[in-house]
Amino acid sequence: MDNLNRRWWQNEDWLAVIVGGLLIAAVLAGWRPALPSFSWMTSAHLMKEIRALQARSGELEKLQQDATSQGEPGLVAALNDFKMSLSGAEPGAFRAAVKQVEASVAQAKSSETGKAALKLIAPLQSKRTGPLGAVFSTDNLRRTIVLGVIYLLIAVAGVRLLGGPVSGFVAGFPVVFGLAWCAQLLAGNARVNDFGLEYVIFGLGLGLLINHTLPLPDWVRQAARTEFYIKSGLVILGAGILFQEIMQAGLLGLAQSILVVTVVWYFCFWFARRLRVDDEFAVMLSTAVSICGVSAAIAACGAIQGDRKKLSYVTSLVLIVAVPMMVLMPWVVKYFQIPEIVAGAWMGGTLDTSGSVVAAGALISEPAMKTGVIVKFSQNVLMGVAAFALSIWWTMRQRKTEAERPSARVIWERFPKFVLGFIVASLVFSFVLDPAVVKETKSLLSGLRNFWFAMAFVSIGLETRFTDLVSLEGGRPAFAFIGAQAFNIFWTLILAWLLFGGVLVAVPNIK
């Protein structure tokens, strides 16, 4: 379809806003689809965790005493059944006892005792301990098929409006969706989850594996619509960025985020240009390393109307570098005895996804995890501001040699419209909706978003070749990104120490 004859709703950015917005609206209107479950644990892992809890019987008895003294008979009974299930070590009875403790905590009057009980059973909460067979149960597969059909209908409508080939897309979509399902299955394993390896990494890995080992038919490639999937998911992501959560750390988290984003962005852009990386590449690399990884790179690419091949390169690079960081940073924290609040702020400012921040922070402490998430959310909020600034700066930079001054219309045309959906969703869920509604819909919207993102990263893998990554500009973009990430690690640690370590202001009370 000729671009001149397109209507506004035939633009990929606006379609993403429509898709994400309609899904959010449907959920708020009462649509509550049963999403497939992916959490599972091997029998060997389950028994190992049971034995670990058996060795902590003293803590369990103390909890029972506290619950008794505070008049919580329901919680006392649930903890007693839990203790009995530990001695029997029968998986079915144990899972039932864990669910009973969770239900009793929800009814308990004492929040502190309930929190202590949940912390004790955290490694074996019911959402983690299901057998692998439950993921392949008839009911779970039915949920997968229903959701797949819904997403197929949505995506086909979008592709048709964009003027893409529908028949090939319909044939290839089940492959992309199925790989996205497999990525979430692999990430759903409790052991994998403990290491912080997320579905986005497995989605990229599966896509790369198939792309490098099998001849990929054109009809599969037609279904690899990376940007459409991820932009739709980003609009839904806005519903999970709540200003109230960000402000738990006061202005400290926002101050650190602003200093990280501005200084790291400028350093990466300067460093990339010194390495003779072109401006377009440098902008995407700088935005990815300074804000929030892949999501920010997508926003930057939209703002400057960048090359999608370069975007695939950047997103692959972000995820490849993220894996060793998730493993090494908690080890560094413990080895050098970095204070937990400082550690959380450090990891929140450097790790590129919220999931990796949660996983790495959980290896240290709950306050570290919460601080990291708050800082990461603060950086995510800046994504919309950065996209707006980039669209203006890039337009003026591109037109610098021309006589005419860039008009407001040109700037608007370059602005990534899906960012508006992200911002509006964040504002509505932060300030308009009842907190009870926000809490009730959080898990469902997160699950819907995860499927869009999983398909996006599978698509990146299907579109990316390692030979292209190595040959593209002689590997200089990769060197620029790694150098900038190293600078980011040290700069953010300094800021975290100054702002969260009690040097400039009092240490925030985050528990």
Side-chain angles (χ1 to χ4, degrees):
M1 188 184 297
D2 191 336
N3 286 335
L4 296 177
N5 297 323
R6 287 181 183 269
R7 303 293 183 91
W8 66 269
W9 37 266
Q10 292 173 312
N11 172 280
E12 186 176 69
D13 280 13
W14 281 121
L15 276 176
V17 173
I18 294 171
V19 168
L22 287 177
L23 285 173
I24 291 174
V27 170
L28 293 178
W31 181 52
R32 298 291 189 273
L35 299 183
S37 172
F38 296 101
S39 298
W40 58 282
M41 180 180 283
T42 64
S43 298
H45 186 188
L46 177 61
M47 294 307 298
K48 180 180 179 180
E49 295 290 356
I50 289 175
R51 287 192 294 271
L53 282 174
Q54 287 172 343
R56 300 171 64 186
S57 58
E59 294 179 49
L60 183 54
E61 290 175 2
K62 176 67 167 53
L63 274 176
Q64 289 178 289
Q65 292 170 4
D66 291 343
T68 301
S69 64
Q70 292 167 2
E72 300 285 1
L75 183 55
V76 172
L79 290 172
N80 187 61
D81 290 345
F82 178 72
K83 185 177 181 180
M84 295 292 293
S85 71
L86 283 176
S87 60
E90 200 281 314
F94 180 79
R95 292 187 178 105
V98 170
K99 288 183 179 180
Q100 187 179 349
V101 172
E102 291 172 341
S104 299
V105 167
Q107 301 296 323
K109 290 178 285 186
S110 171
S111 60
E112 291 304 316
T113 304
K115 286 180 181 178
L118 289 180
K119 186 175 181 181
L120 179 69
I121 67 170
L124 288 168
Q125 285 184 304
S126 58
K127 63 181 181 180
R128 291 167 48 94
T129 60
L132 179 59
V135 182
F136 290 94
S137 67
T138 302
D139 181 60
N140 209 52
L141 293 177
R142 178 187 59 79
R143 296 179 183 185
T144 300
I145 293 171
V146 169
L147 186 65
V149 170
I150 292 172
Y151 273 39
L152 173 61
L153 294 175
I154 292 172
V156 165
V159 170
R160 187 173 181 83
L161 288 172
L162 292 172
V166 173
S167 57
F169 180 87
V170 171
F173 183 86
V175 176
V176 175
F177 188 86
L179 290 172
W181 187 90
C182 290
Q184 294 182 82
L185 168 67
L186 293 171
N189 176 260
R191 180 67 70 189
V192 170
N193 194 258
D194 288 340
F195 283 109
L197 300 177
E198 297 183 274
Y199 66 90
V200 294
I201 294 173
F202 289 105
L204 175 67
L206 289 172
L208 287 171
L209 178 65
I210 290 176
N211 193 17
H212 286 76
T213 57
L214 298 174
L216 206 59
D218 186 59
W219 49 270
V220 173
R221 296 188 185 278
Q222 289 177 24
R225 309 282 300 202
T226 300
E227 291 194 55
F228 176 65
Y229 298 147
I230 205 164
K231 289 174 182 178
S232 301
L234 283 170
V235 173
I236 302 176
L237 174 65
I241 306 299
L242 305 179
F243 283 84
Q244 295 89 335
E245 294 180 351
I246 295 168
M247 296 313 294
Q248 286 181 30
L251 296 176
L252 297 182
L254 198 57
Q256 176 180 309
S257 299
I258 292 172
L259 289 170
V260 166
V261 170
T262 53
V263 173
V264 174
W265 193 98
Y266 180 81
F267 175 84
C268 184
F269 187 80
W270 169 83
F271 188 46
R273 296 301 295 123
R274 288 295 298 269
L275 294 175
R276 294 177 289 109
V277 175
D278 68 70
D279 285 1
E280 189 176 274
F281 228 145
V283 166
M284 284 187 270
L285 288 167
S286 302
T287 309
V289 75
S290 64
I291 303 181
C292 53
V294 173
S295 301
I298 293 285
C301 183
I304 65 174
Q305 298 180 0
D307 186 339
R308 296 189 180 190
K309 185 176 181 181
K310 294 177 181 177
L311 176 63
S312 294
Y313 180 104
V314 174
T315 52
S316 301
L317 195 58
V318 167
L319 294 177
I320 291 170
V321 173
V323 175
M325 286 178 63
M326 282 189 301
V327 176
L328 292 175
M329 289 184 75
W331 177 83
V332 171
V333 168
K334 293 178 180 178
Y335 184 82
F336 290 101
Q337 298 181 346
I338 297 174
E340 58 184 6
I341 300 296
V342 173
W346 181 41
M347 293 187 293
T350 50
L351 293 172
D352 288 320
T353 66
S354 298
S356 61
V357 172
V358 170
L363 294 175
I364 300 168
S365 70
E366 188 169 345
M369 179 183 68
K370 288 184 177 180
T371 305
V373 170
I374 291 168
V375 171
K376 176 52 61 183
F377 278 0
S378 298
Q379 284 185 255
N380 289 344
V381 167
L382 295 176
M383 185 174 67
V385 178
F388 177 72
L390 278 175
S391 62
I392 296 175
W393 173 75
W394 187 260
T395 301
M396 298 183 72
R397 184 183 178 90
Q398 293 298 99
R399 300 272 177 131
K400 187 179 293 185
T401 58
E402 299 180 14
E404 68 173 297
R405 186 177 179 180
S407 64
R409 181 176 179 180
V410 171
I411 293 173
W412 169 250
E413 287 175 351
R414 285 186 174 275
F415 182 75
K417 313 303 187 300
F418 69 92
V419 172
L420 294 176
F422 171 91
I423 294 172
V424 170
S426 178
L427 293 174
V428 168
F429 275 73
S430 295
F431 303 112
V432 178
L433 296 178
D434 187 291
V437 175
V438 175
K439 183 177 180 180
E440 178 189 351
T441 58
K442 180 178 180 180
S443 178
L444 175 56
L445 288 172
S446 177
L448 293 172
R449 179 193 73 218
N450 288 349
F451 258 103
W452 287 116
F453 281 174
M455 290 191 295
F457 286 99
V458 166
S459 299
I460 290 171
L462 294 175
E463 294 174 330
T464 304
R465 302 286 298 183
F466 277 121
T467 52
D468 295 337
L469 295 182
V470 174
S471 62
L472 201 58
E473 295 200 18
R476 294 190 304 276
F479 188 66
F481 180 86
I482 293 170
Q485 189 65 278
F487 174 80
N488 182 24
I489 288 171
F490 286 103
W491 171 243
T492 305
L493 178 59
I494 293 171
L495 289 176
W497 201 286
L498 292 174
L499 294 173
F500 290 86
V503 177
L504 297 180
V505 294
V507 177
N509 185 25
I510 302 175
K511 297 181 179 180

